[in-house]
Amino acid sequence: MILRNAWRRNNIGRRMNEAVRIFENRIIEHLKIHGHAELTSAHINLTRNLDEDGTRLTELARRASLTKQSMSELVDQVERTGLIEKRPDPADGRAKLVCFTDKGFEWLEAFHQSLDVAENEMRNELGVAMVDLMVEALGKYVEGQHGKDSDAAG
């Protein structure tokens, strides 16, 4: 097979996407080994965007770059596991907040431990300095883009 458009496989976007997939799968594997098989990597897009004091569905969808309907499906799936629940929003009686339950906070701590394991594996493979540099550089990139988004909105 002749690959005419090699750039499609070897670009930073694709590499970051592949790295995220591998990284999150390691977290999920570690969680399963330690008795937390409730969620799949698809659900991480919900939990990573859920504030500890609760978040509205529309905000979860925005943060995850999903439609409200897609996020609603994820919320329903995770709610069935008992890790999250919908509660009335004290700021607006018509709205609901998606919140971690006590079981969800236990899961979140296990997720934190699993994330540390996956990150340490990456540091062992790539070197501490390389991972620290990637975290710093990606942080600068994200912050710079947030500034541009604010400028465009104002």
Side-chain angles (χ1 to χ4, degrees), residues 25-39 83 103 106-118 121:
N25 283 339
R26 286 298 299 134
I27 292 169
I28 296 298
E29 288 172 20
H30 188 266
L31 281 165
K32 285 181 181 177
I33 289 168
H34 291 88
H36 291 280
E38 301 97 337
L39 304 183
L83 298 180
K103 181 180 174 186
E106 290 174 19
W107 177 90
L108 190 59
E109 181 54 36
F111 181 88
H112 182 198
Q113 292 170 7
S114 297
L115 179 124
D116 284 348
V117 168
E121 289 173 355

Side-chain angles (χ1 to χ4, degrees), residues 8-151:
R8 292 184 63 218
R9 291 192 184 195
N10 194 21
N11 66 72
I12 194 164
R14 180 135 180 192
R15 294 296 187 196
M16 285 192 300
N17 189 50
E18 290 170 341
V20 166
R21 181 183 49 77
I22 291 165
F23 187 78
E24 289 180 347
N25 283 339
R26 286 298 299 134
I27 292 169
I28 296 298
E29 288 172 20
H30 188 266
L31 281 165
K32 285 181 181 177
I33 289 168
H34 291 88
H36 291 280
E38 301 97 337
L39 304 183
T40 68
S41 58
H43 299 112
I44 300 303
N45 215 8
L46 162 60
T47 59
R48 90 159 46 94
N49 290 296
L50 181 55
D51 297 327
E52 290 184 33
D53 57 348
T55 309
R56 286 186 182 180
L57 179 71
T58 51
E59 178 61 13
L60 285 171
R62 186 195 65 75
R63 290 177 185 176
S65 298
L66 294 174
T67 65
K68 186 179 172 188
Q69 292 77 15
S70 294
M71 181 54 74
S72 182
E73 249 181 71
L74 286 176
V75 166
D76 289 345
Q77 291 169 9
V78 177
E79 190 173 31
R80 285 192 290 273
T81 69
L83 298 180
I84 63 171
E85 63 186 2
K86 294 178 211 137
R87 299 180 189 152
D89 185 343
D92 180 352
R94 299 168 297 165
K96 297 274 188 199
L97 287 177
V98 178
C99 301
F100 284 109
T101 60
D102 289 342
K103 181 180 174 186
F105 280 114
E106 290 174 19
W107 177 90
L108 190 59
E109 181 54 36
F111 181 88
H112 182 198
Q113 292 170 7
S114 297
L115 179 124
D116 284 348
V117 168
E119 193 168 300
N120 285 330
E121 289 173 355
M122 183 182 280
R123 289 179 190 285
N124 288 336
E125 189 165 330
L126 300 178
V128 171
M130 176 66 76
V131 174
D132 288 347
L133 179 61
M134 287 188 321
V135 170
E136 181 182 346
L138 290 171
K140 284 181 182 178
Y141 178 72
V142 168
E143 289 306 314
Q145 294 305 306
H146 283 309
K148 288 178 185 177
D149 291 346
S150 297
D151 293 345

